Amino acid sequence: MVSLTLFSSFSSLHFFLLFLLLCAAGVNSSPSSTPPAKIGKGYRLISIEETPDGGIVGHLQVIQKNKIYGPDIPHLQLFVKHETQDRLRIHITDAEKQRWEVPYNLLPREQPPKLMQTIARSRKSPITVSEYSGSELIVSFTTDPFGFAVKRKSNGQTLFNSSSDASDPFGNLVFKDQYLEISTKLPKDASLYGLGENTQPHGIKLYPNDPYTLYTTDVSAINLNTDLYGSHPVYMDLRNNGGDPSAHAVLLLNSNGMDVFYRGNSLTYKVIGGVFDFYFFSGPTPLSVVDQYTSLIGRPAPMPYWSLGFHQCRWGYHNLSVVEDVVENYKKARIPLDVIWNDDDHMDGHKDFTLNPTNYPHPKLLAFLDKIHSIGMKYIVIIDPGIGVNSSYGVYQRGIANDVFIKYEGEPYLAQVWPGAVNFPDFLNPKTVSWWGDEVRRFHELVPVDGLWIDMNEASNFCSGKCTIPKGKQCPTGTGPGWICCLDCKNITKTRWDDPPYKINASGLQVPIGFKTIATSAVHYNGVLEYDAHSLYGFSQSIATHKALQGLEGKRPFILSRSTYVGSGKYAAHWTGDNKGTWEDLKYSISTMLNFGIFGVPMVGSDICGFYPAPTEELCNRWIEVGAFYPFSRDHANYYSPRQELYQWESVAESARNALGMRYKLLPYLYTLNYEAHISGAPIARPLFFSFPSYTECYGLSTQFLLGSSLMVSPVLEQGKSNVKALFPPGSWYSLFDMTQTIASKGGCYVTLDAPLHVVNVHLYQNTILPMQQGGMISKEARMTPFSLIVTFPAGATEGEAKGKLFLDDDELPDMKLGNGRSTYIDFYGTMTKGTVKVWSEVQESKFALDKGWHIEKITVLGLNGSGEASSVEIDGNPVMGASNIEMYTTEQKFHEELEDSDDKTETVMVEIKGLSLSVGKNFAISWKMGIKG
């Protein structure tokens, strides 16, 4: 929630006490009661044939039945297909009856062939296919027991191997109704990333023997190695063989709860339902892996320009005047602010789509929104899925009339969240999607919000089991914590869905899977069980909300969702949930952010300064220096915490002005990264290995990150430190805050950087052209300021080249693309050769930029080898006369003292050309000669 997840955050103590009670009652608190190491003898491949669409289909038969976790499914259908040049699918299901899969209408993809059990079983022909080759990947099979291996065609490297040897700690394929198991061998030097959402204390690399459980849960993000709000059963595997790096990814598209056991040299999935639906993405670069992954699951949503500005929120803005004061105080403090948020304070009795008539009177709220909208500011409010059970509440009445709620024993399932007793909309039901869209429309007519924040959608429930509204007492009471269950409830253990034979490590303590959520025997549309669809809830709500917002005014929607699944990035941004104001949580936020870029959800960030309890002044200084460079940058705090807006401390305000000041200058770059994410999946914030996959030193680096391919943030993450030890991959790096400062890292090295309290180190890599503007207090204002270009060459080189790009559009449009007459794309190029420096542009779709009148007024070139002044400036082939307003400055650059080499006397200079008026919408070329040292 935000809180609104208070339950998940502030209430983590309460949650922990509940866990202790569960443990005392005999609930196993170890990661999964240890199952037999090997279950059964696996399956035998008894037939295989080609399909008309170029795939192969096979039939598997269980070798020896057993009843551990239930009876084996005797016959399985295997389907294998190279769906694209770089994507392979392996699908295994019951050959005799349809099983639950992630709905094809939620996540569109190719359908596997229909079940062919009768044909397959009657065939006694020998196996004719032992290897199946595609452009990049090869699949090979062993028949008895069945196993498959996926290899990279170019070098024969095995990427996945499901066969089990006697010495392996895992067994062969297991396929039961409520227990599926499969494993793969791994080389010990493979670096794995992904398998979320969880807070990983060891950094971005998966850590052997840490638990990885996937099941969406309202557990505070302060809980380490625990299944949190999202389920992303995908991992990236990065290997380096003799300096030749290659990456691939593996997705198990399955929405059921699962434990994944990573042992370092093997990985085992233990899943409580569904099918095995594996997708392999061949890479071989990390960037191409994410491109291939998002081409299947959906490209990330285009974000409006303003969403890349700074956001302020708090649970506890008790009335509108407080919100007005916050906006005014940001202005007084000269700290940029684009979006003001309301947690549930604006609601009437915590009910969705309502306004509190006393604290947020409608006429005054509308006047406030008119005021902020007139300057380009935006307003977002929270919406929880639970709809208050209240006969006088129109939203509930219409929901009942349209039969939109999840059912238990034929009646709407009763739960408790902030309003008290609630029912949960069933977003798998088309009628619910229409009803939800209508409620969003009604609310937007009441309050013209600019986006929606959907929270508590794991789904979170303050009670467990089958509940009724108590007679004779108020629920909730109105006093005391709102997350204490006040319904009359009974545990539900009577079905195998509520009490499955295998217990995943739910909530990190192996609680029942229906604990504090919807009972898993509850029923969705068309008889779908909550047991199967549980982890899709937030995803399905994101899709419905996206459709609702897009239908309002035809504008580009902005949605922030706490719960996510494979494909959520196509519809929503994400924040990392309820964190703590601690140095550890500051550090963890980087790993979680980087993971979500891999998951195809690039618009991500953490609550700056921590959600609760109070951060220290020093921590808040350092946190805004990191958070100013999150893709999604928002300060957010708990109801029970002291105020922590960035202006509350003058020192934090200074750090905010510095860091956010730079963010607002970088908005055109960030927006271009947003475009790249939308067309190729490329993460906005990336681990360093994305740009330096050959440099193994950065494979586990979780304390620095890149924005795009070449802008590196190296923050202070420890208390009391005024410097930071940062890793610099090979090449030349230039400080963005002081461009005379150079770090030339020949083979890659650690460098100790000065970092006083108000300083964050941000460096730009060589061979880059970075577009920037002059910044401002709000993105709308900053967007209309003149541009500048920073061009970087390798320090001291006599020849070099640089590239950059810029995407500009009308960010109100639902689509983010070229060719609509309301967008412009520019490639920038730079070369340095034979003493001549040249910078030029190539413009596509020029009209939009020309109509806006944007121009470039300054170009700064770094790393030039020179001893003399720049001269002979030409623009578009014409010499610049001395009488023009153009001015040139040459400044000597300095190398970091740790890297000074007495044998290397190379002098490098920075050249600034000011007073330009180059139209962004037209091709230009500017060149000059340098006095090069011989």
Side-chain angles (χ1 to χ4, degrees), residues 26 35 53 67 87 320 447 479 539 735 737 743 771 829 880 883 930:
D53 65 352
K67 294 193 174 178
R87 182 172 83 226
L320 181 58
V447 184
T479 61
F539 178 43
S735 169
F737 284 93
I743 290 175
Y829 300 94
V880 174
M930 293 293 300

Side-chain angles (χ1 to χ4, degrees), residues 260 285 404 414 547 618 693 735 778 786 835 851:
V260 185
T285 66
V404 304
L414 193 71
K547 184 177 181 180
E618 181 191 0
S735 169
I778 191 167
D851 289 348

Side-chain angles (χ1 to χ4, degrees), residues 415-735:
Q416 181 192 326
V417 200
W418 301 109
V422 299
N423 296 150
F424 288 115
D426 174 12
F427 294 103
L428 300 184
N429 186 340
K431 283 200 302 184
T432 307
V433 175
S434 299
W435 162 84
W436 185 255
D438 184 57
E439 296 302 338
V440 170
R441 178 190 60 77
R442 289 168 182 265
F443 181 63
H444 191 267
E445 289 175 356
L446 182 73
V447 184
V449 296
D450 300 288
L452 286 175
W453 173 14
I454 54 176
D455 185 36
M456 308 292 281
N457 51 354
E458 292 73 30
S460 178
N461 181 1
F462 298 161
C463 302
S464 301
K466 178 175 172 56
C467 302
T468 57
I469 298 174
K471 293 178 181 174
K473 72 172 183 178
Q474 185 182 347
C475 176
T477 61
T479 61
W483 58 86
I484 300 294
C485 179
C486 60
L487 301 178
D488 288 337
C489 302
K490 295 178 181 177
N491 287 336
I492 305 174
T493 56
K494 60 188 178 187
T495 76
R496 61 195 180 100
W497 312 116
D498 299 296
D499 188 23
Y502 175 77
K503 318 297 185 206
I504 63 169
N505 190 28
S507 301
L509 287 166
Q510 223 184 318
V511 298
I513 56 173
F515 180 70
K516 297 289 182 178
T517 188
I518 299 167
T520 41
S521 54
V523 178
H524 291 255
Y525 179 68
N526 267 356
V528 169
L529 286 168
E530 169 70 9
Y531 180 87
D532 293 315
H534 171 82
S535 290
L536 299 175
Y537 194 81
F539 178 43
S540 63
Q541 188 193 14
S542 294
I543 295 172
T545 307
H546 188 273
K547 184 177 181 180
L549 287 178
Q550 203 165 52
L552 286 178
E553 300 171 308
K555 291 184 178 180
R556 188 175 301 174
F558 179 82
I559 300 162
L560 184 71
S561 179
R562 192 171 72 181
S563 186
T564 58
Y565 184 72
V566 174
S568 282
K570 183 178 179 181
Y571 306 97
H574 175 65
W575 92 108
T576 64
D578 297 345
N579 57 2
K580 280 178 93 172
T582 69
W583 293 94
E584 290 76 17
D585 282 71
L586 170 58
K587 196 177 298 182
Y588 301 151
S589 75
I590 295 176
S591 295
T592 307
M593 170 183 68
L594 297 178
N595 261 335
F596 269 87
I598 293 171
F599 296 153
V601 189
M603 189 65 165
V604 59
S606 291
D607 285 348
I608 292 170
C609 298
F611 179 60
Y612 82 104
T616 65
E617 182 175 348
E618 181 191 0
L619 175 62
C620 210
N621 269 280
R622 293 308 192 185
W623 208 317
I624 187 54
E625 290 171 358
V626 181
F629 300 99
Y630 292 153
F632 173 63
S633 183
R634 184 183 70 159
D635 181 304
H636 178 49
N638 186 314
Y639 187 95
Y640 297 89
S641 299
R643 297 286 289 273
Q644 64 182 48
E645 291 83 6
L646 301 179
Y647 55 76
Q648 297 288 349
W649 303 269
E650 178 45 42
S651 72
V652 176
E654 183 178 342
S655 293
R657 285 188 289 269
N658 189 40
L660 287 173
M662 180 59 75
R663 180 189 181 91
Y664 274 63
K665 292 176 183 177
L666 289 169
L667 285 176
Y669 178 66
L670 291 172
Y671 193 67
T672 302
L673 293 178
N674 173 31
Y675 172 68
E676 290 184 356
H678 179 55
I679 62 170
S680 72
I684 297 173
R686 308 173 191 174
L688 269 65
F689 68 73
F690 267 65
S691 288
F692 303 95
S694 298
Y695 186 50
T696 56
E697 186 72 25
C698 68
Y699 281 15
L701 188 68
S702 308
T703 53
Q704 297 165 249
F705 58 93
L706 294 171
L707 291 174
S709 61
S710 53
L711 195 64
M712 183 170 72
V713 182
S714 305
V716 172
L717 303 172
E718 297 176 73
Q719 184 175 2
K721 292 293 180 72
S722 58
N723 56 41
V724 60
K725 188 178 180 184
L727 181 65
F728 284 83
S732 300
W733 297 85
Y734 302 93
S735 169

Side-chain angles (χ1 to χ4, degrees), residues 107-108 293-301 567-571 599-600 677-678 681:
L107 193 65
Y293 180 58
T294 55
S295 74
L296 172 72
I297 67 166
R299 298 298 194 192
S568 282
K570 183 178 179 181
Y571 306 97
F599 296 153
H678 179 55

Side-chain angles (χ1 to χ4, degrees), residues 311-377:
H311 303 244
Q312 178 61 52
C313 184
R314 175 182 174 79
W315 182 22
Y317 287 150
H318 301 298
N319 56 51
L320 181 58
S321 64
V322 178
V323 177
E324 292 172 321
D325 284 346
V326 169
V327 172
E328 188 60 30
N329 283 325
Y330 266 95
K331 183 179 177 182
K332 285 180 183 174
R334 303 292 297 160
I335 301 171
L337 179 65
D338 258 81
V339 191
I340 188 73
W341 295 57
N342 263 130
D343 212 314
D344 75 339
D345 304 291
H346 67 285
M347 295 181 185
D348 183 11
H350 305 284
K351 298 191 297 293
D352 284 347
F353 306 119
T354 64
L355 275 186
N356 183 310
T358 304
N359 296 333
Y360 283 82
H362 188 231
K364 289 187 177 180
L365 179 59
L366 289 184
F368 168 70
L369 294 184
D370 284 346
K371 180 180 176 182
I372 66 168
H373 283 155
S374 69
I375 61 169
M377 275 191 68

